Amino acid sequence: MKIRIGIGIGPRAHDDGTTFANVVDTCEKLGIDSLWLPDTITTDLPDPHVGMAYAAGRTARLKLGTGVSVLPGRNPVAVAKELATLAELAPGRILPAFGVQHARAFERPLFPIPGRRGAVFDEALTLVRRLLSETEVSFQGEYFGCEGITVRPQPERPLDIWLGGSGPAALSRIGRLADGWLAANVTAAEAASGRTAIEAAAREAGRAIDDDHYGLSLAVAFGDYPEALLRALRERAPETDPAALIPNGWEATRKLIRAFIDSGISKFVVRPATPPANWAAFMDEFTQELMPLES
């Protein structure tokens, strides 16, 4: 497996002075594999697709991903056009990953959907994938439809689309419809069992997921865990040691990444659990502490 480790950008400390452009330029300069943008409305971070386009125009080798972008509530035809455009502007550097709903519950009502979230997601994802891979698409579903539509520019090869989520329905969906898995807030053991479930769902659907297409978005703490973060972890997994989900410090991060590699995970998006005091220092330490793990 090819081990690759990218950075997930998060909110910046107000007194840091670091701009998104600074982060992009530093990632390119340091040779960091990839930069991933979350899908949030009420933070100072750019929209993921707009941010990817901006970053692509400033760089020549940095890969750019969404970690993750929420598909329900967006027009799948428009999403396909956005991705096709990004693929044309930055060939081989666009890494779309989608999720079912926003992590922040108060943002979810901002994106009304026409039916059950899971069903809307499946249909929207199916349409996006067809529009990115077929020269002419006619589709009539319960929620979306089009007749004889071609999205241009047509990507030279279909984009690999990864999905987040870790519940049974999400793992089944990845096996049936996606090209990869970007997990979050799972233990190494849960990652291993999740990969097994995805592989089983893919076989049942007559598909296969590439061995290198199993990833993890990993938050890293430095010092005391914020109480809000501990509360969220307890709500999700009350019996799980927080250190099994969010390592504290670089040494613990390296140890946990190795455990995930042993569980079949080979792609990592490392993000600070809280805004670092200085993003430039965080990225410099990242290159020294984690990039040697890449293969």
Side-chain angles (χ1 to χ4, degrees):
M1 296 188 301
K2 294 181 180 178
I3 309 303
R4 296 290 183 267
I5 308 175
I7 284 180
I9 191 170
R12 300 175 293 283
H14 291 301
D15 58 353
D16 178 8
T18 302
T19 65
F20 179 63
N22 296 149
V23 173
V24 171
D25 294 347
T26 302
C27 284
E28 178 83 350
K29 176 183 176 181
L30 294 176
I32 292 171
D33 177 72
S34 54
L35 179 65
W36 298 72
L37 284 70
D39 191 359
T40 66
I41 301 300
T42 56
T43 72
D44 60 354
L45 297 173
D47 171 87
H49 289 180
V50 174
M52 289 166 70
Y54 176 82
R58 295 183 70 92
T59 57
R61 50 147 303 278
L62 180 69
K63 294 195 286 290
L64 301 158
T66 55
V68 294
S69 178
V70 180
L71 187 54
R74 286 186 165 95
N75 183 309
V77 178
V79 169
K81 174 66 174 182
E82 291 167 3
L83 293 178
T85 303
L86 286 166
E88 174 80 4
L89 296 173
R93 297 199 286 136
I94 301 303
L95 309 171
F98 289 115
V100 174
Q101 63 182 5
H102 288 80
R104 298 177 172 214
F106 66 87
E107 291 187 350
R108 295 169 193 166
L110 301 174
F111 295 87
I113 56 176
R116 292 184 300 108
R117 186 172 292 274
V120 171
F121 186 45
D122 285 3
E123 193 171 295
L125 179 62
T126 298
L127 181 52
V128 168
R129 289 180 62 90
R130 288 191 57 187
L131 288 167
L132 290 173
S133 61
E134 300 178 21
T135 55
E136 185 175 298
V137 176
S138 294
F139 180 91
Q140 189 57 56
E142 184 177 355
Y143 309 110
F144 306 105
C146 63
E147 187 66 34
I149 296 299
T150 301
V151 167
R152 292 190 174 87
Q154 191 81 34
E156 290 187 7
R157 60 176 297 274
L159 285 168
D160 289 334
I161 295 179
W162 293 35
L163 301 184
S166 57
L171 299 176
S172 174
R173 178 181 294 113
I174 294 163
R176 291 184 290 107
L177 299 176
D179 300 300
W181 181 32
L182 185 63
N185 295 323
V186 297
T187 65
E190 290 169 337
S193 61
R195 173 168 177 160
T196 298
I198 290 169
E199 290 171 334
R203 283 194 302 270
E204 187 174 343
R207 308 178 68 242
I209 306 295
D210 191 293
D211 283 342
D212 271 344
H213 286 193
Y214 292 88
L216 175 74
S217 180
L218 183 66
V220 179
F222 297 92
D224 294 336
Y225 290 104
E227 182 53 39
L229 179 60
L230 288 174
R231 184 167 56 252
L233 293 178
R234 285 194 294 266
E235 290 175 357
R236 180 201 173 276
E239 305 299 324
T240 302
D241 179 1
L245 301 173
I246 300 180
N248 201 319
W250 294 117
E251 182 177 356
T253 302
R254 290 193 300 272
K255 181 178 179 180
L256 194 55
I257 285 177
R258 291 190 183 102
F260 277 107
I261 292 172
D262 291 340
S263 297
I265 302 298
S266 62
K267 302 297 184 285
F268 298 88
V269 179
V270 172
R271 65 190 197 278
T274 57
N278 184 283
W279 263 96
F282 172 83
M283 289 185 288
D284 188 56
E285 292 174 6
F286 170 94
T287 63
Q288 299 177 47
E289 301 286 351
L290 299 187
M291 284 178 61
L293 296 177
E294 295 185 328
S295 63

